Amino acid sequence: MMKDAPLRRLVNYIYDAKPLINFGAIFTDGTEMFRKPAEPEIGDVVSLRIRTARENVDAVYCVINGEKQKMTLAVRDDLFDYFESKVTCSVQTVSYYFEIHASTLVFYYNKLGLRKKPEEEYMFEIFPGYKVPKWAKGAVFYQIYVDRFCNGDRTNDVKDREYFYINSQVRKVDDWDKLPDTMDVGNFYGGDLQGVIDKLDYLKNLGVDAIYLNPIFVSPSNHKYDIQDYDYIDPHFGRIVKDGGEVLEEGETDNKKATKYIERVTDKENLEASNQLFIHLVEEVHKRGMKIILDGVFNHCGSFNKWLDRERIYEGNPEYEPGAFVAGDSPYRSFFRFRDDSMWPYNRSYDGWWNHDTLPKLNYEESFKLHDYIIEIGRKWVSPPYNVDGWRLDVAADLGYSEEYNHRFWRDFRTAVKAANPDAIILAEHYGDTRAWLRGGEWDTIMNYGAFMEPITWFLTGVEKHSDEFRGDFLGNYDIFKNTMKYYMASFNQQSLEVAMNELSNHDHSRFLTRTNRRVGRIQTAGAQAASEDINLGIMRQAVLFQMTWPGAPTIYYGDEAGVCGWTDPDSRRTYPWGHENKELIRFHKDMIKIHKTYKAFKRGSLVFLHGQYKCFAYGRFTSKDAAVVIINDNYEAIRVPLHVRRLGVRNNMSMKRIMLTTDSDYSTEGSICMVQNNVMSVVVPPMSAEVFVADIVKKSI
């Protein structure tokens, strides 16, 4: 967590020395209002601007790649001065920060805001040519764990005892509403791509812009992060047009005898039919004006994978080359790292990802053929006839055995994918600082844990994202929330921040609604029922309101909008409750999505922290034309909050309209007006509430 006490001391010192300096007015970021063009090409001339209060400072300098240049006054209105420098993007990286002079004082501005020192590690940066898909900026994503979303075709359901996987025979769950078992990887509920197709109109009506599917390629598990064949959609999700063979006898563990499974997942008629169904799904998604992205699991595959074939289900099939487990002279031998070359046939000495032998580690550094194969997979699915709109990359920084290689691979991957589909998004699962990966040549953005899921979870619930820990000192702690947000947001560039995947829940963590009970637990320790006890829908609405008004791409984990609960995986992978949804919570999501889309400030606007105290904070979003204020109060009493909305360009005697109020018991979109008087909007915030205010900005040029 960051400490900004030195900044406070600086501000207090400057304020005491020169009370007329308006620190709140000083602002810049990477949005087009302050950097134009925001995503330049090599050779483009870029205008860099910073804002101060009108006639309030003596001089402003922009330090660009170490060279200091005095900025000129470009625009002045009744509130602000806008200083400007221009730079030609003739190099691959343009780094800059600002130096501000007022009387005898000098201070600096970088990604963290007003600072005592330049702190060059937090400089603004431009990477010419770095563009992210325009459609993804502020887009509303919807994540689907396919087996648990909707069963649209019962003919492709996994059969009881169809095969053996991780210590047990797989099972078909007939009760759609059954809660997951502690060991759930081999339990199948029957969700499939036809089910997704059947619910596309629901998703469109909800306001979804893009669908993110958890893995759908051939795989023996319900989560499918153990890929068996990257070239085909799993027929259990797709179409089974040829269905013979037998399931295993009770107690049998040898998958050579799982002839029904072998025919279902290796016969090319089933595989091609499943790919055709996927093409149809993508066409239906695009027909509704939505996008769709796939989950790419490229750091490891599965022990069933045709390249390894530990289960020997491809062995002897003339349509497939022998797997590296089966034969030492397999064409896929280099795809894996074997520790003992004397064990063939049936060599079990391969490296496993995190030592899991069901997840063989892929051996990129020693296999150009593997590199080229996966690059081609990346290109294939974003190209016709599939036309997918991008990739979510699983544990992307853990691809190879070295970080150096990983950077090289993802540069190659980006080049291939963007050449095939320039509008495809490349979005990585990553924890921690992202600066090394978001420099224009690799990923577009990440799943945003550090600057979204974790800080808001701690503030509103005090519970860690797995529900493994409760921290009362983090609950409602504004300083921790703000400083964590600022630190991790500083590792983004503006364009990567605008498309960052902002989730409250997902398949790897507990459901946010369960976290609102502020309990620690997992399914094996507390039981599944406890995940739904003492939940707080008011806190859930606060979180959704925050999600839809914070910078990035808000991403709903299927069923969150319908009130689904659950501890961390596998309990977070419950089925969508068709027929007994929480319809009021769905309506709230629809209303908040509409607000998110109506006001440009929420999709592309700048962010300013306006107020913070124990269990209460407020922030503003603004563009050159509109401004918004968001207030969250997690106290059990009303609080009067003074907000200096002039920082958003809202003038004295203007009004801001409240368009959303959610409380502990209900929510309302009925508007009310709050006037700005003496340059302050004073708001009485109800207990356990969240509010959104908006205003149009009318600039007064001088």
Side-chain angles (χ1 to χ4, degrees):
M1 306 301 175
M2 292 188 56
K3 306 291 185 184
D4 63 355
L7 174 59
R8 293 197 198 97
R9 288 196 295 270
L10 167 68
V11 171
N12 291 337
Y13 167 70
I14 297 174
Y15 185 84
D16 291 341
K18 188 179 173 81
L20 296 180
I21 297 177
N22 185 336
F23 304 104
I26 301 171
F27 186 83
T28 189
D29 60 14
T31 63
E32 200 163 33
M33 188 172 174
F34 297 97
R35 186 171 82 195
K36 193 169 185 176
E39 295 177 314
E41 298 284 356
I42 283 277
D44 283 355
V45 176
V46 180
S47 168
L48 305 175
R49 288 188 176 186
I50 186 170
R51 184 191 78 182
T52 69
R54 176 182 163 85
E55 299 178 316
N56 194 235
V57 302
D58 296 325
V60 182
Y61 297 85
C62 190
V63 183
I64 305 172
N65 286 347
E67 295 186 7
K68 180 175 172 180
Q69 59 178 261
K70 189 172 183 178
M71 304 182 75
T72 60
L73 180 62
V75 178
R76 170 173 285 164
D77 61 27
D78 59 316
L79 296 182
F80 304 114
D81 287 341
Y82 293 85
F83 292 88
E84 182 179 72
S85 281
K86 293 184 183 294
V87 59
T88 300
C89 293
S90 57
V91 293
Q92 290 184 330
T93 303
V94 177
S95 302
Y96 63 98
Y97 61 91
F98 300 92
E99 180 179 302
I100 303 163
H101 292 242
S103 186
T104 60
L105 303 172
V106 178
F107 42 100
Y108 305 88
Y109 201 101
N110 60 22
K111 281 187 177 182
L112 295 177
L114 195 66
R115 313 302 288 175
K116 185 178 180 180
K117 297 179 180 179
E119 298 177 328
E120 294 184 1
E121 66 269 34
Y122 297 111
M123 291 188 294
F124 295 98
E125 292 179 302
I126 301 172
F127 304 105
Y130 182 16
K131 296 182 184 294
V132 301
K134 186 176 180 180
W135 65 261
K137 293 183 177 183
V140 177
F141 282 76
Y142 190 90
Q143 178 184 349
I144 296 177
Y145 191 91
V146 177
D147 182 61
R148 308 297 164 85
F149 183 62
C150 180
N151 190 342
D153 179 3
R154 298 192 181 277
T155 67
N156 62 13
D157 291 356
V158 171
K159 302 294 185 182
D160 274 348
R161 298 180 283 108
E162 189 172 319
Y163 53 98
F164 183 87
Y165 187 61
I166 306 187
N167 302 322
S168 66
Q169 295 175 331
V170 297
R171 298 288 178 182
K172 169 68 173 73
V173 179
D174 293 320
D175 180 4
W176 182 257
D177 296 322
K178 179 186 178 300
L179 299 180
D181 292 332
T182 302
M183 182 58 184
D184 192 62
V185 68
N187 291 341
F188 293 85
Y189 286 69
D192 49 35
L193 296 188
Q194 185 59 53
V196 176
I197 293 169
D198 293 345
K199 299 300 181 181
L200 288 179
D201 289 338
Y202 163 75
L203 298 178
K204 179 66 176 177
N205 186 254
L206 185 64
V208 170
D209 297 309
I211 298 168
Y212 152 42
L213 298 179
N214 283 114
I216 58 173
F217 301 120
V218 182
S219 160
S221 66
N222 57 47
H223 58 67
K224 303 207 178 298
Y225 282 93
D226 42 5
I227 305 299
Q228 183 172 327
D229 190 336
Y230 291 93
D231 288 296
Y232 293 103
I233 305 302
D234 195 313
H236 298 95
F237 283 177
R239 288 275 189 263
I240 296 176
V241 295
K242 189 175 179 182
D243 196 11
E246 301 294 334
V247 301
L248 294 174
E249 295 290 336
E250 194 74 53
E252 180 61 63
T253 64
D254 183 3
N255 281 321
K256 285 283 285 183
K257 300 177 182 178
T259 53
K260 177 173 283 292
Y261 180 73
I262 292 172
E263 180 165 355
R264 282 180 157 196
V265 300
T266 69
D267 189 278
K268 292 296 176 66
E269 289 187 46
N270 291 331
L271 296 172
E272 294 294 348
S274 297
N275 281 8
Q276 287 299 315
L277 179 65
F278 180 69
I279 292 170
H280 175 61
L281 165 62
V282 176
E283 290 172 346
E284 290 297 314
V285 169
H286 289 166
K287 190 183 299 182
R288 290 165 173 79
M290 298 187 291
K291 306 289 186 181
I292 185 167
I293 69 172
L294 295 180
D295 209 324
V297 189
F298 301 135
N299 47 73
H300 61 268
C301 62
S303 57
F304 280 56
N305 190 282
K306 64 184 180 183
W307 302 332
L308 184 70
D309 195 21
R310 195 188 76 175
E311 301 302 308
R312 301 168 58 197
I313 64 175
Y314 296 94
E315 187 178 22
N317 188 329
E319 292 190 335
Y320 294 89
E321 300 277 6
F325 172 82
V326 175
D329 61 354
S330 165
Y332 309 118
R333 163 70 181 83
S334 65
F335 286 23
F336 309 94
R337 180 177 287 180
F338 290 88
R339 299 181 298 278
D340 187 343
D341 287 343
S342 67
M343 295 181 65
W344 277 288
Y346 315 134
N347 191 338
R348 292 182 174 272
S349 70
Y350 57 87
D351 282 356
W353 187 67
W354 286 19
N355 296 317
H356 294 292
D357 65 354
T358 57
L359 302 175
K361 184 81 177 78
L362 291 172
N363 186 29
Y364 288 92
E365 283 89 338
E366 297 171 17
S367 180
F368 292 114
K369 183 178 179 180
L370 172 63
H371 167 281
D372 293 347
Y373 202 127
I374 295 298
I375 294 295
E376 180 55 34
I377 289 296
R379 177 172 30 233
K380 168 183 176 176
W381 291 99
V382 301
S383 302
Y386 305 105
N387 296 316
V388 164
D389 300 293
W391 288 98
R392 177 266 188 189
L393 306 173
D394 185 59
V395 202
D398 196 27
L399 180 87
Y401 289 98
S402 72
E403 184 171 320
E404 179 185 3
Y405 178 82
N406 294 342
H407 283 296
R408 187 163 70 248
F409 178 89
W410 292 124
R411 286 193 292 270
D412 293 347
F413 186 87
R414 181 183 184 87
T415 298
V417 168
K418 295 290 186 175
N421 183 349
D423 281 334
I425 191 168
I426 300 174
L427 187 157
E429 179 189 23
H430 186 72
Y431 297 81
D433 196 304
T434 62
R435 278 175 287 191
W437 306 94
L438 300 179
R439 303 182 67 82
E442 299 175 52
W443 311 334
D444 286 323
T445 192
I446 63 165
M447 299 178 74
N448 193 3
Y449 292 110
F452 186 78
M453 183 190 284
E454 292 184 287
I456 194 60
T457 289
W458 285 118
F459 184 90
L460 290 179
T461 74
V463 177
E464 183 267 341
K465 62 184 179 295
H466 286 287
S467 293
D468 281 342
E469 182 182 11
F470 176 80
R471 290 287 300 269
D473 56 332
F474 285 10
L475 177 63
N477 190 318
Y478 174 70
D479 287 336
I480 289 176
F481 170 81
K482 178 183 178 182
N483 292 331
T484 304
M485 280 293 196
K486 288 180 68 175
Y487 173 77
Y488 281 108
M489 288 174 77
S491 71
F492 288 84
N493 296 293
Q494 184 66 35
Q495 63 264 55
S496 60
L497 184 65
E498 289 175 353
V499 296
M501 183 174 273
N502 289 348
E503 293 188 291
L504 296 170
S505 318
N506 63 31
H507 60 288
D508 284 329
H509 304 99
S510 60
R511 294 273 183 171
F512 189 90
L513 187 53
T514 286
R515 281 175 241 152
T516 67
N517 67 15
R518 296 174 178 170
R519 288 184 58 179
V520 171
R522 291 200 174 207
I523 190 172
Q524 63 268 34
T525 59
Q529 294 294 342
S532 304
E533 295 172 355
D534 302 318
I535 57 173
N536 190 313
L537 287 167
I539 295 175
M540 181 71 187
R541 288 193 295 270
Q542 287 179 330
V544 173
L545 183 146
F546 176 78
Q547 181 184 39
M548 296 297 166
T549 56
W550 193 255
T555 302
I556 301 167
Y557 183 43
Y558 79 103
D560 265 12
E561 80 280 16
V564 174
C565 297
W567 302 115
T568 198
D569 72 279
D571 198 34
S572 59
R573 302 167 181 181
R574 298 182 182 187
T575 53
Y576 188 101
W578 301 110
H580 45 274
E581 309 94 325
N582 185 323
K583 293 184 178 180
E584 182 181 5
L585 191 56
I586 292 174
R587 284 196 299 273
F588 180 75
H589 276 80
K590 290 174 66 173
D591 286 337
M592 281 310 310
I593 290 171
K594 183 177 180 180
I595 287 172
H596 170 80
K597 292 184 173 185
T598 299
Y599 298 93
K600 186 179 179 182
F602 292 134
K603 297 184 72 173
R604 305 290 296 277
S606 299
L607 169 74
V608 174
F609 289 94
L610 293 174
H611 177 83
Q613 63 185 77
Y614 178 61
K615 289 193 173 184
C616 180
F617 66 91
Y619 55 93
R621 303 290 309 277
F622 69 94
T623 67
S624 60
K625 296 182 179 180
D626 63 344
V629 169
V630 179
I631 313 170
I632 294 178
N633 178 23
D634 214 28
N635 286 282
Y636 288 101
E637 59 183 25
I639 299 174
R640 180 174 290 277
V641 177
L643 300 173
H644 294 271
V645 293
R646 183 173 178 146
R647 299 174 64 189
L648 311 177
V650 180
R651 272 73 175 171
N652 197 37
N653 297 320
M654 285 181 62
S655 63
M656 296 197 77
K657 180 181 179 181
R658 188 178 71 194
I659 57 172
M660 175 60 74
L661 167 66
T662 174
T663 65
D664 204 21
S665 59
D666 203 353
Y667 82 94
S668 173
T669 57
E670 293 183 8
S672 64
I673 301 298
C674 191
M675 294 294 298
V676 179
Q677 297 178 317
N678 299 319
N679 292 312
V680 173
M681 187 174 85
S682 184
V683 183
V684 177
V685 190
M688 296 301 295
S689 69
E691 298 180 272
V692 179
F693 292 84
V694 295
D696 293 328
I697 295 176
V698 179
K699 279 196 170 184
K700 300 179 181 179
S701 299
I702 301 298

